[in-house]
Structure formats: structure tokens, C-alpha cells
């Protein structure tokens, strides 16, 4: 790229595009001109180098500086969160930006840097604004003082589609106020393997739930993709990364086309059809073909079948991984060629792209027309986002928008609704303050910002509620003693565990906060999150011992789990008194947990992912095929620890009288299903009412049940409501033996209840004619 920078400097005899052509502004600078006309006009003015530059991304210069000081080239080869470019200086990167040879930056964390880069870029000949991208997965949490919402798995456990939309909308506002325009979310991978460290950034294991939340998130980020409050969504990772061998990130995925179409594709299709204007490919190879060079996926399915009009971006150096990981290309240049010809539009990230791709065009190995297609897609999005008219933001706007009272209220509400009560023996919860006066709080997650979850950086302490802080605020009269177990599950101190056990003997109640560690600034010390996969789902380190020995004191124990992945907490499930699975609840996590423990909030969330008893049970997802447990395992059980859709409340609900408006329906018809739900306890609550469908006999084997609808229903104590669903033909359709989507005549069970567990479900039979 150094070569090119000099070359471009020579070619570009600075034509000032602000100057009028025959007294008129160029069409591409006219905000009133249609986007297509602006794109064509601009494309016609661009050199090959400028075009290839529009297909490239670099990491931000602050990120670069930090890592060039800290990393070796060997570390660089495997690290997918930090980067620098050997042999390149900050001055080089600044010069390329001034030359208009960079399209996008990622890992830019401040408004100042975003504006600085944009300003450099505005010195370029054509002044094509930079698109600043960031992983704003649960709020723009990598940036200081931006609102941190619960991660996707917690959001999914609230089954709250409107909340997903609202969070995305608020995040978009905060991002634009930070002059950031492109979030690498929603992650709409269907999580089917708890060993995979990225479950927390997904919406869980069910294709229908993931589809709805992905779609709402996409709409929330993008709005109409035409305002200064809108950002570009990135639907990722296409496809199969959540179903890799061994559950490790980036490992091969071998899966039938049927399972792709039934399970993994639907959420992508939904988000793309909701307007998602960028898609990121997945690290892994799919059935032997790396996703990054997979023409079937990019041109066939995405553009051909689903009509995707946006642009495709590579994941972190993944085109390059065709060389060193998949061994399907001899060198990076060849990998770039394969990827572009398969449909790739933008490269994440690095300077090598420029020389190689320009050479490929000059050598006739890629046509300039093919380059133009990609550049058109990228420019169209930049125009739609209004970047040409609004390339900057300012500190005043930022300070008004980020972490605003409204956004904080949303983050708190989302946290309250995301925490799942798994166990509550003898109604220990909500806690009675007059009975439990001396309370021990301990565990690695009792007082750490880790509660926010993966994809957040350290925030100022005053903005984050740890569990300890939340408890002290919720029950100021209670005597909380805290035994600090440190943050690091792998290096816990036996002496500290002993100390906690001693303290437990002298307390009335013990709150133990366990789980995983996922803060990115300690990349190599985490136990969960991106690139942090496990071979079992047990608690790491001395955590299990801590729980066991505290239980053995005979005092009541509440376990609070902070984790993005389901954990096989078998001992706790059998012995502690109460369990809250709080996932990664964001900046207000500790406050929401304390409010639930002390009954200011009645928990309502339900698991968006099955909790297996062991890694051997990772395939016990609820929507398995009937024969999955024909021969049950010996010395164990086929039942998971807690099933999908399960979660308790401080009140109880009774379901009764499931009725269909008709017992028969035409293959293109629909019926109504009604059920009454009564709050039979003495507290108001919100119940997540779930509707599943089971095809009794089908020409192709179908799952034992599939979620097809749900409602969050508010019920006052004693109140009864009738909940109505529409069972339409599309909810019964499936891919037949010829992979055509059809509704087959026959009987379907319509199942409604509070979880996916058979015993929890009311049943009615619908016959399709
Ligand atoms: C991850 C992506 C992410 C990108 C940029 C990659 O390592 O797989 O999900 O968007 O980094 O941070």
C-alpha cells in the first residue's frame, strides 16, 4: 500500500470537487439527487485505486498505536481483537486517509478520533466520508460512558421484541452522537453449543425467537437508513459459526442443507428482508468451502434468493485465513481474488488489500466492472446514511445523548426483564430483610464490572452497578459482609474460599456470585466470550468448592450466575436454595439483581437457551427430532438441567382451556388459538406465554416441537386474561423431501404453556386438509 499511496499522490492532481463544474455542484454532492444518480456520478470520477480503497477497512490509529507497542507479529497472526500492521506507521495511515484510499475504520473508540480521521479524509480529492464501524453489541459498550444494556442472550430471555427495537434505536442515537455509523450486530446465529464462547452475543437457540429479535434490532439500528439517528446494521456471521466442531470459534461446520434452511438461515433471511444493509461472513468453512469464498452463500442465497442489496464485509482477517487456516489459497492475493469473485465487497481489514486487488484488476484477474459493483453497494449506503452531509458529530451532542436518563432507564428495565429465576426452594426469595440481617456476599462476580458482559470495555465505576453495590442500595439496613474472591476464576485463592466459608457460618444468608469472566481488556484471562471456548460447562476454578462448602454450613444460599453461556451447575441445582441466572446484564445488572432478590421486581425472564447438565448434553436443545432420545443414555438422563423457555416468578400462573377457533383448516388458512392464563399468586407479574407446534406425522422428520409465537402478558394478582394467537399456514410449513416449502395435510399439535417442557403444555389438535 505504501507504493500505491505515492502513486495515487502523483495521479491525483488535486481536482477540487467542491469547485463547481460549469457553475454546478457535482451530482454526487447534491443531497436532493437520487442515491443511484449520486453513486453513478461519483463512481465515474473515481480512479481504480480510490475504488479499491472504498472496499477496504483499517483499524483506528489509537488502537494501532496501542497494539504496535504491545504485540508481536506472531500474536497478531491469531489474535482477532487487537491488531497492528507490521512495517506501517501512523503517518502512513493518515496519509492514506488524506488520499481517500480508506473506506472505513473500526475500533475507533472516541468522538475525537472519529472526527479527526474524518477530517483527514475530508482533505481527499473526492471527500467520500469514512464509515466508522464498531461492535456496539449491547449498546455502544466499547466506548466510555455509553449506555451498556444486557447482552443479546439476556435480551432474548426477556422475549421482548419491542425492547430489542428500542435498545437498537437508542444505541444508534448514541453511536451517531459519537460519529460512529456502523454496528457489527445483530448476531443472529442460532446458538446450539454452550461450549462456544459467543453464545452470549446471540439471541439463543430458537430460530423463531432469534429471527424476531434480529429483525427488530436491525430495524431499530437502521430506521429508514436515511437520518442522522440511523446506523448501518451488520447481520452476522453468515453462517455456521455457532455449530462448529468442538464448539470452538472458527472451526469447520459440517451441516446439511436441510438444517441450514430450517435452523440457521431463517434469522439471516428475516434480518435481510427487514432491510439489513450489510452482512458479515463467518470465520468457518461450511461443508468444506470457507464462508469467505463461498459464492453459493453470498451470490446464491443472500443476493439471489433473498434479494440482498447491501454489501458483504469479511470478518477480521478471515479472507487471509483462507491461506493460513483453510489452506484453500496459496497467498493473500489469491484469497482476495477468490473472495471478491465469490461476492465479497469489503475487507476487514489491513493495508495489504490495496496493492493486491489493484494488481488483480490490472492483471485481468478481476474485472473493473466487478469492483464497481461492490463500490456501488458501499457508496449507496454512505449516501443513504447522510454521511456526505453530516460527516461529523460534536461533543455537545455526544454529552446530551450518551447515557441519557431515558437510555439508562431502558437499560435498567431490560436488565430486570432478562434475569431468569431458576430455583426458589421454600419461597426463600424475595428475601425477608427482617429475617436475614447478616448477609455474606462473595464470588468472583460479586463486585466486578464483568457483570456487563463481553463486548464492553471498562466503564467509570459510578456508572456500573455490581451485585454488591446493588444489594447495599436495595437493603441499606442489612449488614453485608463481603469476601472478595478476585475477578479471576482460574486463579482463585484457597485462603479466600476458606475465609468465605468461615464468614458463611456467622451469617444468616449467603449470596454467592459465580460464573464466567469475559472482560476484553484481559483478553487472555477470560473464560468466556469471543475466541474463548470451553470443553465443559462446569464452573471454573474453586467456584464449585466455594458453593459446596458454603452450602455445607447449612445456611441458606442464593447463587447468582453471571455468564453468557449456559453453565451445568448440577451441584447448585441440587443443593442451593435459590438460583438466579443473570446472564450478562449490563451496567445496571447488579441493581436489577438486587431488586429481584429483595422483591422490588418480580422476575419474568425465561431461558433462551437450554441449560445442559454437562457438555455431553449440548445437543439437548428443545426442538430436537423425536428419535434423538430413542435410546436414552445410560448412567445419566436425557433431560437437561433446565429447559428452553423455563423461568420462575414470585407468583404462580395457571393455564386453562386451550381452544382452537376451528379444529380443521385449509393448507393456506389460519385458526385462532385461545388460552386463559390466571395469576394465581398474590403478586403482580409478567408471564411469557409460549406457543409451540408439533407436526404429528410428516414426510420428512420434524422436531418434537417448535416455538411459533409468544406473548409477554401483564397479570395483576388474581387476574385472568385470555391470550389469543393466530396459527397461520406459514407456522406449519416446512421443507419437504424436495426442499420445497409446503404445508402438508395432517394433524398438528398446538401446544401452549409457560415453558417448552411437555408437562407444562396445554394441547389441542389441528387438522390441515
Ligand atoms: C468478530 C466479529 C467482529 C469483528 C470486529 C471479529 O473478531 O468475529 O464479530 O465484528 O471482530 O471487531
Amino acid at each position: 500500500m505504501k507504493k500505491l499511496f505515492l502513486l495515487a499522490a502523483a495521479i491525483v492532481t488535486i481536482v477540487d470537487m467542491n469547485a463547481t463544474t460549469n457553475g454546478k455542484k457535482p451530482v454526487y454532492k447534491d443531497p436532493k439527487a437520487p442515491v443511484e444518480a449520486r453513486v453513478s456520478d461519483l463512481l465515474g470520477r473515481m480512479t481504480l485505486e480510490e475504488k479499491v480503497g472504498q472496499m477496504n477497512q483499517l483499524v483506528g490509529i489509537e488502537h494501532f498505536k496501542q497494539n504496535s507497542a504491545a504485540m508481536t507479529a506472531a500474536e497478531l497472526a491469531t489474535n482477532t481483537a487487537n491488531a497492528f500492521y507490521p512495517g506501517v506507521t501512523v503517518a502512513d495511515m493518515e496519509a492514506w486517509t488524506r488520499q481517500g484510499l480508506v473506506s472505513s475504520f473500526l475500533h475507533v473508540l472516541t468522538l475525537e478520533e472519529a472526527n479527526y480521521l474524518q477530517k483527514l479524509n475530508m482533505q481527499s480529492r473526492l471527500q467520500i466520508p469514512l464509515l466508522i464501524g464498531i461492535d456496539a453489541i449491547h449498546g455502544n459498550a466499547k466506548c466510555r460512558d455509553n449506555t451498556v444494556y444486557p447482552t443479546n442472550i439476556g435480551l432474548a430471555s426477556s422475549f421482548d421484541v419491542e425492547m430489542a427495537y428500542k435498545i437498537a434505536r437508542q444505541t444508534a442515537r448514541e453511536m451517531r452522537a459519537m460519529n460512529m455509523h456502523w454496528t457489527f450486530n445483530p448476531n443472529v446465529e442460532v446458538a446450539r453449543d454452550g461450549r462456544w464462547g459467543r453464545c452470549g452475543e446471540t439471541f439463543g437457540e430458537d430460530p423463531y425467537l432469534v429471527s424476531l429479535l434480529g429483525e427488530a434490532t436491525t430495524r431499530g439500528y437502521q430506521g429508514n437508513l436515511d437520518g442522522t439517528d440511523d446506523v448501518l446494521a451488520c447481520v452476522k456471521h453468515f453462517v455456521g459459526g455457532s455449530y462448529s466442531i468442538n464448539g470452538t470459534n472458527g472451526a469447520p461446520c459440517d451441516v446439511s442443507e436441510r438444517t441450514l434452511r430450517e435452523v440457521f438461515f431463517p434469522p439471516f433471511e428475516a434480518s435481510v428482508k427487514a432491510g439489513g444493509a450489510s452482512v458479515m461472513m463467518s470465520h468457518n468453512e461450511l461443508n468444506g468451502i470457507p464462508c469467505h469464498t463461498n459464492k453459493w452463500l453470498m451470490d446464491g442465497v443472500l443476493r439471489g434468493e433473498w434479494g440482498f442489496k447491501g454489501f458483504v464485509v469479511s470478518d477480521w482477517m478471515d479472507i487471509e485465513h483462507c491461506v493460513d487456516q483453510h489452506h484453500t489459497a496459496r497467498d493473500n492475493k489469491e484469497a482476495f481474488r477468490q473472495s471478491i469473485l465469490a461476492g465479497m465487497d469489503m475487507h476487514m481489514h489491513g493495508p495489504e488489500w490495496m496493492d493486491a486487488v489493484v494488481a488483480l484488476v490490472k492483471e485481468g484477474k478481476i474485472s473493473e466492472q466487478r469492483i464497481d459493483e461492490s463500490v456501488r453497494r458501499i457508496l449507496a449506503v454512505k449516501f443513504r446514511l447522510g454521511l456526505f452531509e453530516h460527516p461529523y458529530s460534536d461533543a455537545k451532542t455526544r454529552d446530551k445523548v450518551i447515557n441519557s436518563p431515558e437510555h439508562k432507564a431502558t437499560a435498567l428495565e431490560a436488565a430486570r426483564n432478562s434475569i431468569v429465576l431458576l430455583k426458589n426452594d421454600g419461597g426463600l426469595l424475595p428475601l425477608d430483610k427482617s429475617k436475614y440481617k447478616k448477609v455474606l456476599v462473595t464470588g468472583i462476580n460479586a463486585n466486578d464490572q464483568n457483570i456487563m458482559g463481553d463486548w464492553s470495555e471498562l466503564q467509570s465505576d459510578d456508572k456500573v452497578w455490581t451485585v454488591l453495590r446493588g444489594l447495599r442500595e436495595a437493603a441499606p439496613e442489612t449488614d453485608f459482609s463481603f469476601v472478595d474472591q478476585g475477578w479471576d476464576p482460574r486463579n482463585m485463592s484457597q485462603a479466600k474460599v476458606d475465609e468465605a466459608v468461615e464468614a458463611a457460618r456467622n451469617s444468616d444468608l449467603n449470596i454467592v456470585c459465580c460464573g464466567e469472566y469475559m472482560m476484553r481488556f484481559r483478553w487472555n484471562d477470560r473464560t468466556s466470550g469471543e475466541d474463548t471456548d470451553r470443553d465443559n460447562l462446569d464452573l471454573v476454578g474453586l467456584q464449585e468448592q466455594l458453593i459446596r462448602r458454603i452450602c455445607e454450613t447449612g445456611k441458606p444460599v442464593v447463587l447468582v450466575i453471571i455468564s453468557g453461556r449456559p453453565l451445568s451447575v448440577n451441584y447448585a441445582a441440587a443443593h442451593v436454595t435459590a438460583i438466579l441466572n443473570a446472564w450478562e446484564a449490563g451496567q445496571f445488572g447488579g441493581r436489577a439483581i438486587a431488586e429481584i432478590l429483595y422483591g422490588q421486581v418480580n422476575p419474568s425472564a425465561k431461558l433462551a437457551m437450554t441449560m445442559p447438565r454437562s457438555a455431553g448434553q449440548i445437543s439437548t436443545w428443545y426442538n430436537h427430532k423425536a428419535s434423538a432420545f430413542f435410546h436414552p443414555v445410560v448412567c445419566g438422563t436425557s433431560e437437561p438441567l433446565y429447559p428452553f423457555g423455563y423461568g420462575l416468578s414470585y407468583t404462580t400462573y395457571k393455564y386453562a382451556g386451550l381452544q382452537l377457533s376451528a379444529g380443521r383448516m385449509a393448507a393456506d388458512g389460519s385458526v385462532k388459538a385461545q388460552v386463559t392464563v390466571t395469576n394465581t399468586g398474590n403478586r403482580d407479574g409478567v408471564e411469557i406465554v409460549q406457543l409451540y407446534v408439533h407436526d404429528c406425522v410428516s414426510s420428512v422428520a420434524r422436531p418434537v416441537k417448535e416455538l411459533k409465537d409468544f406473548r409477554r402478558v401483564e397479570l395483576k394478582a388474581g387476574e385472568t386474561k385470555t391470550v389469543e394467537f393466530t396459527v397461520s399456514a406459514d407456522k406449519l410449513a416446512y421443507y419437504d423431501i424436495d426442499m420445497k416449502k409446503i404445508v402438508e395435510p395432517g394433524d398438528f399439535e398446538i401446544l401452549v404453556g409457560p415453558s417448552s417442557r411437555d408437562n407444562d403444555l396445554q394441547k389441542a389438535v389441528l387438522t390441515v386438509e
Side-chain angles (χ1 to χ4, degrees):
M1 181 133 170
K2 269 196 171 170
K3 245 190 306 168
L4 259 172
F5 151 55
L6 293 172
L7 194 74
I11 298 169
V12 178
T13 39
I14 307 300
V15 182
D16 180 358
M17 281 301 154
N18 276 326
T20 53
T21 322
N22 301 331
K24 279 212 241 142
K25 266 198 168 187
V27 174
Y28 83 90
K29 293 232 161 173
D30 176 3
K32 295 209 185 78
V35 167
E36 297 81 70
R38 297 180 81 184
V39 170
S40 296
D41 178 62
L42 179 51
L43 195 66
R45 298 168 191 270
M46 292 170 74
T47 63
L48 175 61
E49 289 73 15
E50 285 165 339
K51 290 177 186 175
V52 173
Q54 279 305 309
M55 296 170 72
N56 200 25
Q57 196 176 40
L58 298 179
V59 294
I61 51 178
E62 292 307 324
H63 179 89
F64 173 89
K65 280 187 215 158
Q66 196 185 329
N67 291 299
S68 29
M71 288 179 74
T72 64
E75 281 168 337
L76 176 67
T78 52
N79 194 302
T80 57
N82 306 309
F84 74 98
Y85 307 129
V88 168
T89 64
V90 170
D92 293 331
M93 291 167 69
E94 291 176 335
W96 297 330
T97 311
R98 267 191 237 104
Q99 291 296 318
L101 299 177
V102 186
S103 182
S104 169
F105 278 92
L106 81 160
H107 287 350
V108 172
L109 303 182
T110 62
L111 168 67
E112 290 74 17
E113 188 183 349
N115 279 349
Y116 174 71
L117 291 170
Q118 195 71 285
K119 210 162 149 199
L120 290 179
N121 181 69
M122 285 303 159
Q123 295 171 38
S124 65
R125 190 175 76 95
L126 294 167
Q127 300 179 313
I128 306 172
L130 293 170
L131 186 67
I132 311 267
I134 188 156
D135 292 272
I137 310 289
H138 51 126
N140 197 10
K142 284 173 70 67
C143 297
R144 195 89 170 164
D145 292 343
N146 282 235
T147 309
V148 186
Y149 305 85
T151 62
N152 290 340
I153 190 75
L155 181 54
S157 296
S158 71
F159 284 68
D160 192 340
V161 180
E162 277 167 38
M163 179 60 87
Y165 176 85
K166 192 166 161 185
I167 290 175
R169 199 85 284 275
Q170 294 182 354
T171 303
R173 262 182 231 134
E174 296 202 10
M175 286 179 64
R176 282 306 281 264
M178 298 282 290
N179 205 19
M180 299 169 186
H181 326 110
W182 181 18
T183 170
F184 305 127
N185 199 42
N187 183 331
V188 293
E189 295 181 87
V190 172
R192 286 205 147 183
D193 187 336
R195 295 173 302 178
W196 187 52
R198 305 190 75 165
C199 295
E201 62 185 277
T202 76
F203 297 112
E205 80 184 34
D206 179 69
Y208 178 75
L209 182 60
V210 178
S211 297
L212 290 193
L213 292 166
E215 193 184 315
T217 301
T218 301
R219 282 192 291 103
Y221 287 138
Q222 294 196 167
N224 294 323
L225 210 58
D226 61 0
T228 49
D229 272 358
D230 302 336
V231 296
L232 172 62
C234 187
V235 187
K236 74 185 189 184
H237 308 84
F238 197 47
V239 64
S242 58
Y243 199 47
S244 60
I245 56 159
N246 293 323
T248 53
N249 203 29
C253 172
D254 220 302
V255 62
S256 69
E257 185 177 344
R258 173 169 299 282
T259 300
L260 281 174
R261 292 197 182 272
E262 287 176 354
V263 177
F264 296 104
F265 279 1
F268 285 91
E269 182 174 2
S271 280
V272 162
K273 292 197 167 153
S278 78
V279 168
M280 189 186 292
M281 299 311 285
S282 186
H283 302 308
N284 51 286
E285 51 133 294
L286 179 73
N287 301 330
I289 319 265
C291 292
H292 280 70
T293 56
N294 197 316
K295 197 169 171 58
W296 176 63
L297 286 179
M298 288 186 262
D299 278 352
V301 177
L302 204 50
R303 298 194 172 100
E305 294 182 28
W306 302 340
F308 174 64
K309 295 278 183 286
F311 69 87
V312 178
V313 64
S314 79
D315 200 351
W316 188 275
M317 315 292 277
D318 269 324
I319 310 181
E320 287 85 337
H321 289 324
C322 292
V323 181
D324 64 9
Q325 294 298 318
H326 307 303
H327 301 244
T328 50
R330 254 177 220 297
D331 53 31
N332 289 348
K333 186 173 167 190
E334 169 57 10
F336 295 152
R337 187 189 70 82
Q338 291 177 4
S339 188
I340 293 173
L341 292 182
M344 182 62 67
D345 298 308
M346 193 186 279
H347 170 236
M348 180 194 285
H349 56 88
E352 202 184 332
W353 175 262
M354 191 65 172
D355 284 347
V357 177
V358 168
L360 285 166
V361 177
K362 291 194 169 152
E363 289 159 15
K365 293 186 175 138
I366 296 178
S367 69
E368 191 160 346
Q369 196 191 344
R370 169 65 195 85
I371 297 295
D372 287 355
E373 282 171 15
S374 289
V375 178
R376 275 183 182 281
R377 293 173 187 140
I378 293 161
L379 291 178
V381 168
K382 290 188 173 185
F383 282 116
R384 289 180 66 191
L385 279 165
L387 294 181
F388 285 75
E389 290 71 45
H390 305 281
Y392 302 108
S393 182
D394 56 66
K396 217 170 122 201
T397 311
R398 175 196 60 195
D399 296 344
K400 202 170 86 197
V401 173
I402 63 170
N403 231 285
S404 67
E406 183 198 345
H407 295 188
K408 285 195 279 198
T410 305
L412 175 59
E413 189 191 344
R416 289 171 177 153
N417 295 348
S418 71
I419 296 163
V420 190
L421 176 63
L422 294 177
K423 184 177 184 194
N424 191 14
D425 276 3
L428 173 74
L429 303 179
L431 293 172
D432 179 346
K433 289 179 193 167
S434 62
K435 190 161 167 200
Y436 303 111
K437 294 195 171 117
K438 284 181 69 179
V439 175
L440 167 71
V441 185
T442 192
I444 60 152
N445 281 316
N447 197 27
D448 197 278
Q449 290 210 9
N450 184 46
I451 194 162
M452 290 186 295
D454 190 17
W455 293 107
S456 41
E457 292 302 333
L458 276 184
Q459 299 288 344
S460 12
D461 277 330
D462 63 317
K463 297 220 160 54
V464 183
W465 270 257
T466 66
V467 180
L468 186 64
R469 178 179 178 187
L471 289 169
R472 287 191 167 137
E473 286 179 9
E477 62 279 51
T478 301
D479 175 10
F480 290 107
S481 61
F482 172 52
V483 179
D484 192 353
Q485 301 294 336
W487 56 269
D488 184 358
R490 284 190 276 198
N491 291 298
M492 290 173 71
S493 135
Q494 186 63 55
K496 279 287 176 190
V497 172
D498 297 346
E499 187 186 326
V501 175
E502 261 327 290
R505 289 188 220 288
N506 300 319
S507 59
D508 304 325
L509 174 95
N510 302 294
I511 299 177
V512 188
C513 305
C514 290
E516 299 279 33
Y517 188 78
M518 42 266 167
M519 290 302 275
R520 297 195 146 230
F521 74 100
R522 296 188 175 120
W523 183 257
N524 294 322
D525 299 316
R526 299 167 311 142
T527 59
S528 189
E530 188 190 6
D531 295 345
T532 314
D533 314 302
R534 308 237 345 247
D535 64 357
N536 67 68
L537 303 178
D538 300 337
L539 288 166
V540 173
L542 302 180
Q543 297 189 87
E544 180 95 2
Q545 186 200 124
L546 179 71
I547 298 170
R548 181 175 49 75
R549 288 182 55 208
I550 291 183
C551 280
E552 284 165 4
T553 64
K555 300 288 174 60
V557 178
V558 180
L559 172 66
V560 177
I561 305 170
I562 310 289
S563 167
R565 62 153 64 89
L567 288 170
S568 51
V569 287
N570 296 297
Y571 177 88
H575 295 94
V576 306
T577 329
I579 305 178
L580 275 191
N581 193 64
W583 300 116
E584 305 166 302
Q587 76 180 97
F588 290 104
R591 183 151 152 199
I593 288 166
E595 287 174 342
I596 289 177
L597 292 179
Y598 282 100
Q600 289 147 25
V601 170
N602 187 1
S604 57
K606 311 262 187 174
L607 290 177
M609 206 173 164
T610 302
M611 285 187 87
R613 289 175 196 274
S614 66
Q617 271 201 345
I618 50 167
S619 310
T620 32
W621 48 79
Y622 86 92
N623 48 356
H624 58 79
K625 302 284 178 70
S627 57
F629 301 110
F630 174 26
H631 298 296
V633 292
V634 293
C635 316
T637 164
S638 308
E639 289 292 309
L641 197 53
Y642 297 106
F644 174 86
Y646 171 85
L648 302 173
S649 155
Y650 293 151
T651 187
T652 44
Y653 301 101
K654 184 163 175 279
Y655 285 67
L658 174 64
Q659 274 192 343
L660 302 179
S661 56
R664 307 183 78 82
M665 104 182 195
D668 57 355
S670 70
V671 299
K672 303 275 185 216
Q674 282 192 346
V675 72
T676 60
V677 187
T678 304
N679 180 340
T680 47
N682 51 16
R683 287 195 58 132
D684 299 352
V686 171
E687 168 69 338
I688 297 165
V689 181
Q690 302 157 45
L691 179 138
Y692 297 86
V693 163
H694 169 225
D695 192 343
C696 300
V697 180
S698 43
S699 50
V700 169
R702 306 285 306 133
V704 288
K705 59 178 87 75
E706 295 172 281
L707 183 74
K708 290 296 175 184
D709 214 341
F710 54 84
R711 295 269 190 290
R712 288 173 53 84
V713 183
E714 276 181 41
L715 286 164
K716 300 237 172 294
E719 191 182 10
T720 298
K721 275 187 183 164
T722 300
V723 181
E724 186 178 274
F725 297 100
T726 302
V727 182
S728 47
D730 58 296
K731 297 196 191 284
L732 310 177
Y734 78 100
Y735 290 99
D736 71 1
I737 205 150
D738 302 317
M739 294 304 288
K740 289 208 188 70
K741 209 157 195 195
I742 58 154
V743 179
E744 221 172 34
D747 289 350
F748 292 81
E749 284 175 340
I750 308 301
L751 307 155
V752 180
S755 90
S756 68
R757 204 162 50 181
D758 285 338
N759 289 347
D760 283 346
L761 294 165
Q762 298 256 317
K763 196 189 295 179
V765 176
L766 173 66
T767 305
V768 172
E769 290 163 344

